[in-house]
Amino acid sequence: MNKIKQRLRRIYGEQENIETIYHSILQRIEETKAKKLKQRKPQWDEKDVVLITYGDQFQQKGQAPLKTFKQMFDRYLTESFSLTHILPFYPYSSDDGFSVIDYKQVNEELGTWKDIEHLSHSTRLMFDHVCNHVSQESQWFQKYLAGDPEVDNYFISPGPDVDTSAVTRPRATPLLSRFTMHDGEEHYIWTTFSRDQVDVNYENPLVLLEMIDVLLFYMEQGAEYVRLDAIGFMWKEMGTACIHHEKTHEIIKLFRDVTDLAAEGTVLITETNVPHEHNISYFGNGNDEAHMVYQFPLPPLVLYSVYKGSAEVLSQWARSLPAAREENTFFNFLASHDGIGLNPIRGLVPEKEILDMVEGLEKEGALVSSKQNEDGSESPYELNVTYMDALSKQTDDDTLRLKRMLVAHSILLTMPGVPSVYIQSMIGSRNDEAGVAQTSMNRSINRKKFDYPTLQEELDHEGSLREQTLLELNRLIAKRKNEPLFHPASRMEVLQTNEKLFAFIRKKRNEEMLVVHNLSSEQATMGLHGSYVDILTDQRWGTPTLLTLDPYQFVWLKKVEEGV
């Protein structure tokens, strides 16, 4: 308990109301504990694979989308996914849910809290805590505009002439947005991501208390994993970059303390789409900050490697990863509701090669979102494209398209960490150009919503790209879940071999698994020493031999005793 008070002192110094805030936090923790929440799984393991989806992903006439999603999940996905990340399902005003109007309500167009509870009977749940900003339509901000003293210091209004040149900008939109107050006075309010996403002011301890209350509320509603959205930007200090501030880290550690006390086993995951060294800083000392961090370099690195037909950079990066631990791990993914971020590979891949890849993918239908640099210029920030279409050309046939998709997801499922698969990837989606035309948002290209009866026909159509993608990914996930060597904490040793191959060994006690991926359009070979069985095909390999892999082929070779 004293740890919480110490963290409050580090954040706020000797402010008069800190003692009151401290006791309010303790009281709120006790309220959560008194609800006797569902027992959490004490630790993640190889059986944990996460599905990422929107709550209204599947729709049919006369039924709440959350009910329809449960039907779809129970029919096609229940054996594969132990957890489901439902992207923000609260009332919102823009950005497909990330401009939250009310943290504690379910969007009535999706369903109710009862529907969320019913879904928890099929899968454990992961919620978003959009804790950096709120919608301009939220009650807090509307009260602020009305001059309500209760929220007088909930937002940041530095004035139009303040020097913000040092502030890191993730978007090309204005940092400060002009709003008119109830008395006609104009305020310039801090809006890191958009005018409709108004940053809250953590310098006010009451805001911190509000956000802790929301975090605990989500745990009470069944969240076993909580994604902390855009948390790198939480603390603002003029003259600094206003990202990864030491007090931001202290707030995340405080969230961790509260979580561990209220419902041990609840997992906090930080979302920071930034270069690798900053991303992993949210592990803290390994035990005091995030339980997991998003593995942001993985999506663009896998894409770049397939695009180049070379695993050289991917292998070099994988060798640099910190050793796997029991206490924390990576949250691995290839695709998500957002685009494929490019910043995490800057410094790993030469800028010219990044720009060449962006140009090549743009010619194949990908869209590009840009960020503003300190000198006022713009650089590509993310690629907006389904992962399937990112990996292949428009003229490629579906057989080749599926091979590339599967080799990429083999990497996802075999690397150290907890893997997550985006629903659009799971069902083999192509670029939704009509969605972009309708919303004028680049990210809509990978956020298609489906008429469920129509989608069922496609998924049940034998031999279709959707049916084959779902079938093969379900098969790979099942193999992963039944192999203890893929425990997130088992060691990884990346091998030096043919540059076309991404090869590594996963080790646990006296067992080991050799995983090899050919990321090129040509055959590739490597020497094999030992006796192995491919757990994907049951094919056996003796020693010594030359392992030859066809284009985009991969093997999961478990070592066995000689002659067995």
Side-chain angles (χ1 to χ4, degrees), residues 8-22:
L8 289 170
R9 294 294 182 196
R10 291 191 192 106
I11 298 167
Y12 298 111
E14 299 299 323
Q15 289 189 33
E16 292 181 3
N17 62 344
I18 292 304
E19 196 70 26
T20 301
I21 296 293
Y22 169 66

Side-chain angles (χ1 to χ4, degrees), residues 27-176:
Q27 180 181 342
R28 187 66 185 85
I29 290 171
E30 291 304 315
E31 290 172 0
T32 299
K33 291 169 69 175
K35 294 182 182 294
K36 298 181 179 178
L37 306 185
K38 176 183 174 183
Q39 187 73 30
R40 267 67 172 155
K41 186 175 180 177
Q43 185 62 279
W44 46 82
D45 58 31
E46 68 278 359
K47 297 186 184 302
D48 290 317
V49 183
V50 182
L51 177 71
I52 306 171
T53 184
Y54 282 101
D56 61 348
Q57 199 74 66
F58 309 109
Q59 302 168 13
Q60 58 184 330
K61 189 174 181 180
Q63 182 166 275
L66 284 169
K67 288 186 170 71
T68 303
F69 175 78
K70 186 177 186 304
Q71 280 182 244
M72 195 278 182
F73 185 90
D74 289 344
R75 177 166 178 172
Y76 295 104
L77 303 169
T78 186
E79 296 299 322
S80 291
F81 296 100
S82 57
L83 288 125
T84 297
H85 174 197
I86 317 173
L87 290 157
F89 50 85
Y90 326 114
Y92 72 97
S93 51
S94 65
D95 197 20
D96 279 346
F98 285 90
S99 298
V100 179
I101 294 174
D102 189 334
Y103 287 111
K104 293 187 176 183
Q105 296 296 322
V106 175
N107 184 348
E108 62 181 13
E109 295 181 5
L110 273 64
T112 66
W113 280 116
K114 182 62 70 174
D115 295 320
I116 297 289
E117 193 270 331
H118 285 164
L119 182 58
S120 72
H121 298 161
S122 297
T123 175
R124 293 151 60 208
L125 299 177
M126 174 174 165
F127 293 1
D128 281 280
H129 188 2
V130 187
C131 49
N132 178 73
H133 48 262
V134 298
S135 166
Q136 63 176 314
E137 296 180 22
S138 66
Q139 188 178 51
W140 292 352
F141 193 63
Q142 288 302 307
K143 282 185 175 182
Y144 175 82
L145 294 179
D148 189 331
E150 181 184 341
V151 295
D152 181 54
N153 199 29
Y154 271 40
F155 303 96
I156 305 164
S157 181
D161 300 324
V162 67
D163 181 8
T164 60
S165 58
V167 177
T168 296
R169 298 295 296 118
R171 298 285 187 275
T173 54
L175 178 66
L176 302 178

Side-chain angles (χ1 to χ4, degrees), residues 338-368:
D338 288 340
I340 302 169
L342 297 170
N343 283 351
I345 58 170
R346 288 193 157 100
L348 299 173
V349 176
E351 187 68 17
K352 183 180 184 306
E353 294 195 19
I354 294 175
L355 296 178
D356 286 346
M357 180 178 71
V358 169
E359 183 180 355
L361 291 175
E362 200 169 14
K363 290 177 180 177
E364 295 295 333
L367 302 176
V368 181

Side-chain angles (χ1 to χ4, degrees), residues 502-540:
F502 182 44
F504 53 85
I505 297 172
R506 298 295 301 275
K507 296 181 178 180
K508 191 174 184 180
R509 293 187 289 274
N510 296 323
E511 295 186 295
E512 65 179 58
M513 176 84 69
L514 170 62
V515 183
V516 189
H517 307 88
N518 183 359
L519 300 183
S520 78
S521 59
E522 302 172 353
Q523 275 193 347
T525 61
M526 66 175 283
L528 195 63
H529 302 280
S531 295
Y532 297 87
V533 59
D534 187 347
I535 67 171
L536 297 175
T537 64
D538 292 328
Q539 182 178 354
R540 291 182 172 270

Side-chain angles (χ1 to χ4, degrees), residues 93-277:
S93 51
S94 65
D95 197 20
D96 279 346
F98 285 90
S99 298
V100 179
I101 294 174
D102 189 334
Y103 287 111
K104 293 187 176 183
Q105 296 296 322
V106 175
N107 184 348
E108 62 181 13
E109 295 181 5
L110 273 64
T112 66
W113 280 116
K114 182 62 70 174
D115 295 320
I116 297 289
E117 193 270 331
H118 285 164
L119 182 58
S120 72
H121 298 161
S122 297
T123 175
R124 293 151 60 208
L125 299 177
M126 174 174 165
F127 293 1
D128 281 280
H129 188 2
V130 187
C131 49
N132 178 73
H133 48 262
V134 298
S135 166
Q136 63 176 314
E137 296 180 22
S138 66
Q139 188 178 51
W140 292 352
F141 193 63
Q142 288 302 307
K143 282 185 175 182
Y144 175 82
L145 294 179
D148 189 331
E150 181 184 341
V151 295
D152 181 54
N153 199 29
Y154 271 40
F155 303 96
I156 305 164
S157 181
D161 300 324
V162 67
D163 181 8
T164 60
S165 58
V167 177
T168 296
R169 298 295 296 118
R171 298 285 187 275
T173 54
L175 178 66
L176 302 178
S177 297
R178 185 172 61 183
F179 290 91
T180 303
M181 304 294 289
H182 67 289
D183 57 3
E185 183 179 345
E186 291 184 339
H187 280 199
Y188 285 80
I189 311 296
W190 201 291
T191 54
T192 297
F193 294 96
S194 77
R195 176 183 171 82
D196 192 35
Q197 293 168 303
V198 188
D199 292 54
V200 295
N201 182 19
Y202 279 93
E203 284 192 13
N204 180 354
L206 293 176
V207 169
L208 176 66
L209 186 60
E210 294 267 25
M211 291 304 186
I212 288 173
D213 171 64
V214 172
L215 174 63
L216 292 171
F217 175 77
Y218 290 161
M219 292 156 60
E220 292 166 0
Q221 299 304 314
E224 298 188 40
Y225 281 35
V226 179
R227 174 185 185 270
L228 302 176
D229 176 67
I231 49 83
F233 299 91
M234 286 166 62
W235 193 274
K236 283 77 174 175
E237 180 180 341
M238 293 292 80
T240 74
C242 298
I243 188 172
H244 314 313
H245 196 285
E246 61 182 0
K247 291 189 177 181
T248 291
H249 283 282
E250 205 65 44
I251 291 170
I252 305 307
K253 291 174 182 178
L254 180 55
F255 284 175
R256 168 71 179 264
D257 295 336
V258 168
T259 299
D260 288 348
L261 284 169
E264 190 173 4
T266 303
V267 174
L268 294 184
I269 306 173
T270 51
E271 187 263 341
T272 50
N273 191 353
V274 294
H276 188 63
E277 66 272 17

